[in-house]
Amino acid sequence: MSFIKLSCADFISILNPIARLACSNKKGSGVLGFARILITTKAGKQAAYASASNGGQSMARRIESFESDIDMLSEDKEVLLCGEKLLSIVNAYTSFDSTEIVKISWDSFGDNGGLITAKRSKMKIDTADPSAYPAPPKLSADHSVLTIPLTQLQDVAIKGRSSVAVNNSARPALNGVNFKLNCAAKSINVTATDGYRVYDNTLAVTNAKNDFNIVVPTKLIDMLQGLKATNDDDLVRLRADSNSLEVTFKSTLIRSQLLDNKFPDLSELFQSEPQWLMDLEQKDIADALGRLSAATDKRLPAIELMIDDATQETHLRTVQGGKILGEDYLKSKVTIKPENALSVNLNFLMQAVANVTSKIARIGQHPKDKYLVIQGENETSRMIVLPLRT
């Protein structure tokens, strides 16, 4: 019987995201519904890995501290464990002390072919033959490479994902998040849109090779969010070709297929500097929009912004059928008063303001197309919100 022993803390932290990924593909997943455990020798030392795949994304995590029955001269030992049952056991063992030893053992491939034990607990688990498990795709030799602090990557990618990135849209070209690496400019640009809003951010990079223009699925962005940096200087490495992206962070390796669509070129939206209309306290406008969301037409959550440069105020109101449902006033630092009231989707404006992390939120208007631009003070990220017809 083969086995591996590890602490309960490692059992939970390492195998929880692995089991979740194995459970994420519900459509006749077959062997992809299993998590893989591999014990091998590497560079004269024992090594162990846990991995899973849903067909589009895969994750592998190294188990740093463990015991097993394998010796330096033995062949590799590996097994597939039922992802759904493994996730249930991981969650059930959270009540154990973190130093408690968990043993995973197996002697066959089939129903109840494995056993997971800790203290007096014994849990049977289905196993499967690992020889049928698919190998992850390999990158081409001329792939691109980029290293960047994980916290920076998470910040821009997750904002784009949570704000406007879509999946399975009626307009497939808008799916995912667009990453464009420009080595000459030493920058990476992140863009997402749902056709009504646009999120755009540009980060400076210093260590990159070979430009890329790729569309990353939202599932991979969600997986990136699960990585934990210990400080702001922890680096993540991205390697990409035209088909797939590989993310390496410490002992975790994530691979994902890229979306096969040509993301629309939205650079023209940002070539003209907007006319900055006003500066507001971010907290003030966020609070006001939150209050007004309780007094809006849920079918058409529109809000009007009327700027008064004489009193340096912005009047916010929600209207339905010509009747005012709610209104609020904000002190503003007005630069330009637009010709007409600004009408936008309240929910979209709330999300754009929520993305501003500075004390001041700036609201501008494109001089020709009249869409709103929301940006924080001294921040590189911008949100575009298209106006409503009034």
Side-chain angles (χ1 to χ4, degrees):
M1 177 176 286
S2 301
F3 71 85
I4 181 171
K5 293 180 180 179
L6 66 163
S7 71
C8 190
D10 287 345
F11 176 75
I12 294 170
S13 65
I14 294 173
L15 292 180
N16 183 287
I18 294 295
R20 287 185 181 279
L21 182 58
C23 295
S24 66
N25 188 348
K26 298 296 184 182
K27 297 180 180 179
S29 55
V31 72
L32 294 181
F34 287 75
R36 180 172 179 253
I37 300 289
L38 169 66
I39 310 169
T40 185
T41 56
K42 189 174 182 180
K45 296 181 179 180
Q46 286 188 341
Y49 302 89
S51 60
S53 174
N54 64 4
Q57 291 77 39
S58 66
M59 174 185 287
R61 304 192 70 186
R62 181 166 182 158
I63 303 172
E64 299 291 352
S65 181
F66 68 96
E67 295 180 29
S68 77
D69 61 337
I70 190 173
D71 59 43
M72 296 301 180
L73 301 178
S74 297
E75 295 181 353
D76 295 349
K77 299 290 180 68
E78 56 184 324
V79 67
L80 300 183
L81 304 173
C82 174
E84 189 172 346
K85 185 63 178 292
L86 179 61
L87 183 60
S88 297
I89 296 174
V90 166
N91 292 332
Y93 279 10
T94 55
S95 60
F96 286 156
D97 187 84
S98 61
T99 59
E100 192 66 46
I101 297 300
V102 178
K103 181 180 179 181
I104 305 172
S105 55
W106 64 95
D107 58 5
S108 64
F109 302 138
D111 294 347
N112 295 324
L115 182 68
I116 299 179
T117 62
K119 298 181 71 172
R120 296 183 180 180
S121 169
K122 295 183 179 180
M123 303 278 194
K124 290 282 189 178
I125 187 169
D126 292 351
T127 59
D129 186 354
S131 64
Y133 205 74
K138 292 185 178 180
L139 296 171
S140 61
D142 58 346
H143 60 263
S144 304
V145 182
L146 166 68
T147 55
I148 188 173
L150 174 64
T151 54
Q152 289 187 19
L153 178 66
Q154 287 176 324
D155 181 57
V156 297
I158 292 169
K159 279 184 178 179
R161 162 71 172 103
S162 62
S163 301
V164 296
V166 291
N167 189 30
N168 297 324
S169 167
R171 290 175 286 181
L174 304 185
N175 284 346
V177 180
N178 184 213
F179 285 72
K180 288 187 288 188
L181 174 64
N182 187 328
C183 295
K186 296 183 178 180
S187 66
I188 182 170
N189 181 255
V190 180
T191 308
T193 183
D194 61 359
Y196 306 98
R197 298 168 290 170
V198 179
Y199 169 84
D200 183 83
N201 204 340
T202 301
L203 292 178
V205 297
T206 57
N207 191 1
K209 182 179 73 172
N210 296 336
D211 293 352
F212 61 64
N213 186 346
I214 59 178
V215 184
V216 177
T218 56
K219 176 63 179 177
L220 177 61
I221 305 299
D222 296 337
M223 294 173 69
L224 286 176
Q225 191 173 8
L227 301 177
K228 303 298 182 183
T230 54
N231 59 69
D232 291 342
D233 296 326
D234 284 346
L235 296 177
V236 61
R237 184 185 69 178
L238 306 182
R239 299 200 304 162
D241 59 18
S242 59
N243 298 311
S244 58
L245 175 67
E246 180 184 278
V247 180
T248 305
F249 180 70
K250 296 185 177 179
S251 59
T252 298
L253 176 66
I254 300 172
R255 291 188 178 98
S256 175
Q257 295 177 351
L258 298 173
L259 295 185
D260 186 19
N261 62 282
K262 186 175 181 180
F263 202 83
D265 184 6
L266 303 176
S267 59
E268 290 185 4
L269 297 176
F270 302 95
Q271 288 178 354
S272 299
E273 185 70 9
Q275 295 175 336
W276 294 110
L277 306 178
M278 57 184 168
D279 292 354
L280 308 99
E281 294 279 345
Q282 190 274 346
K283 184 178 186 305
D284 289 349
I285 187 172
D287 290 345
L289 294 174
R291 290 190 295 268
L292 288 171
S293 66
T296 186
D297 182 358
K298 302 303 180 184
R299 296 167 299 175
L300 181 62
I303 186 169
E304 290 183 348
L305 291 78
M306 290 166 287
I307 301 173
D308 190 331
D309 56 348
T311 61
Q312 293 287 294
E313 287 182 336
T314 300
H315 181 198
L316 310 175
R317 71 179 188 182
T318 56
V319 180
Q320 180 184 19
K323 296 181 180 180
I324 298 176
L325 301 180
E327 55 188 333
D328 215 314
Y329 291 87
L330 294 174
K331 296 299 291 184
S332 313
K333 183 180 178 182
V334 178
T335 305
I336 298 175
K337 179 182 177 179
E339 297 178 1
N340 303 306
L342 308 173
S343 181
V344 296
N345 184 298
L346 173 61
N347 295 332
F348 293 173
L349 184 58
M350 285 179 64
Q351 183 64 64
V353 171
N355 271 338
V356 174
T357 58
S358 64
K359 184 179 179 180
I360 300 298
R362 308 190 71 196
I363 297 182
Q365 189 177 39
H366 189 271
K368 178 183 177 182
D369 298 320
K370 303 304 180 183
Y371 53 76
L372 290 190
V373 180
I374 296 88
Q375 184 172 1
E377 191 176 36
N378 299 320
E379 291 185 347
T380 57
S381 63
R382 287 184 176 181
M383 282 283 293
I384 283 178
V385 179
L386 298 184
L388 295 175
R389 294 181 179 178
T390 55

